[in-house]
Amino acid sequence: MNDYGRRISRVVVGQIFNGLGVYLTLQANIGLAPWSAFNVGITNLTPLSYGDASILVGVTVLVLDLAMRERVGLGTLLDILLCGKIVDLCQYFGLVPLMDNLFSGVVCLLLGELGIALGTYFYVSGGLCCGPRDGLMVGLVKRLRRVPVGLMRGILEGTVLLLGWLMGAKVGLGTIIAVFGISFLLEGVFRLFRFDVTAVEHQDLRETWRLLRQTIQTSKANTEV
């Protein structure tokens, strides 16, 4: 259970970094990453906040993941619930002003992308399964085996980016930086922490429930003795 507590802590820390990172990319004001553009597009057409739109999209994608029998863990649920609401909290307190020139916008965006890269390291290393959007990509690749994972990611992100743009989200230089820059930053962060993402053994909700049930049963047995 101590190990499980550390896993949850890493996931929560990761989502805090993710939320702060996404917030900075929004405040950069030079164009949005695909999923952020989609969430902002929803806020343009509804009374929902960014966080609520993110939760709505996350739950919708989660349903698709479950339909494809992809693994879902506590990390998946925390990703849905925390990241967007942390963005809302940052917006409420107005932590960073909206950038009004290209240079400050690029700096703000890169800091945000670095935050997302750090957040990804922490929450993936927690081993409690990844976010629903990654699960959707993996599930589709499994079923459309002739489509490379890179192309599938491009199709998914291209689709949500187009929908976000049609709903009024800002697309620009920042979008290009966000799409291509995150890969380099992720690689750099993983190298910095000597993190091998393929070595992580993820625990889904069924395994978590089994662990908790065994712990409760053991605790009861020790109490009775």
Side-chain angles (χ1 to χ4, degrees):
M1 287 302 294
N2 289 334
D3 177 67
Y4 191 62
R6 285 193 292 270
R7 284 184 167 200
I8 294 177
S9 297
R10 293 186 74 84
V11 172
V12 171
V13 169
Q15 292 308 322
I16 292 173
F17 273 113
N18 272 341
L20 290 171
V22 171
Y23 171 68
L24 289 174
T25 64
L26 296 177
Q27 298 305 104
N29 196 32
I30 57 172
L32 299 168
W35 287 102
S36 292
F38 189 49
N39 292 337
V40 169
I42 292 174
T43 68
N44 289 340
L45 300 182
T46 69
L48 295 176
S49 67
Y50 181 93
D52 292 336
S54 178
I55 291 173
L56 175 63
V57 173
V59 170
T60 302
V61 176
L62 176 63
V63 171
L64 297 175
D65 291 345
L66 292 172
M68 292 187 292
R69 299 183 179 179
E70 287 302 307
R71 297 182 73 190
V72 172
L74 186 59
T76 312
L77 302 182
L78 290 173
D79 177 80
I80 293 172
L81 295 174
L82 291 182
C83 183
K85 298 312 290 183
I86 290 170
V87 174
D88 282 354
L89 190 64
C90 292
Q91 291 179 332
Y92 176 79
F93 287 107
L95 296 183
V96 175
L98 196 67
M99 299 297 109
D100 58 3
N101 64 74
L102 181 60
F103 177 76
S104 62
V106 170
V107 171
C108 188
L109 178 67
L110 290 176
L111 288 174
E113 291 286 288
L114 178 60
I116 293 170
L118 286 168
T120 301
Y121 159 70
F122 277 106
Y123 100 83
V124 172
S125 65
L128 296 177
C129 293
C130 298
R133 296 159 186 82
D134 290 332
L136 176 61
M137 179 182 66
V138 172
L140 290 172
V141 168
K142 287 179 180 177
R143 283 153 183 79
L144 303 172
R145 297 184 180 276
R146 294 185 178 181
V147 181
V149 63
L151 177 58
M152 181 58 70
R153 177 174 178 173
I155 292 171
L156 282 175
E157 293 192 347
T159 300
V160 296
L161 179 62
L162 175 61
L163 292 173
W165 177 71
L166 291 173
M167 291 186 288
K170 189 168 186 176
V171 176
L173 174 63
T175 306
I176 299 172
I177 295 174
V179 169
F180 294 101
I182 190 63
S183 299
F184 294 101
L185 287 170
L186 272 175
E187 183 178 354
V189 168
F190 287 0
R191 284 179 179 272
L192 177 65
F193 290 103
R194 298 178 181 177
F195 176 57
D196 181 6
V197 68
T198 63
V200 179
E201 295 184 6
H202 286 281
Q203 182 184 106
D204 61 20
L205 288 174
R206 288 176 297 181
E207 293 168 322
T208 297
W209 170 245
R210 184 165 61 248
L211 171 67
L212 292 175
R213 187 172 59 183
Q214 289 174 350
T215 302
I216 292 171
Q217 290 173 347
T218 302
S219 179
K220 283 183 178 180
N222 290 337
T223 302
E224 291 173 358
V225 171

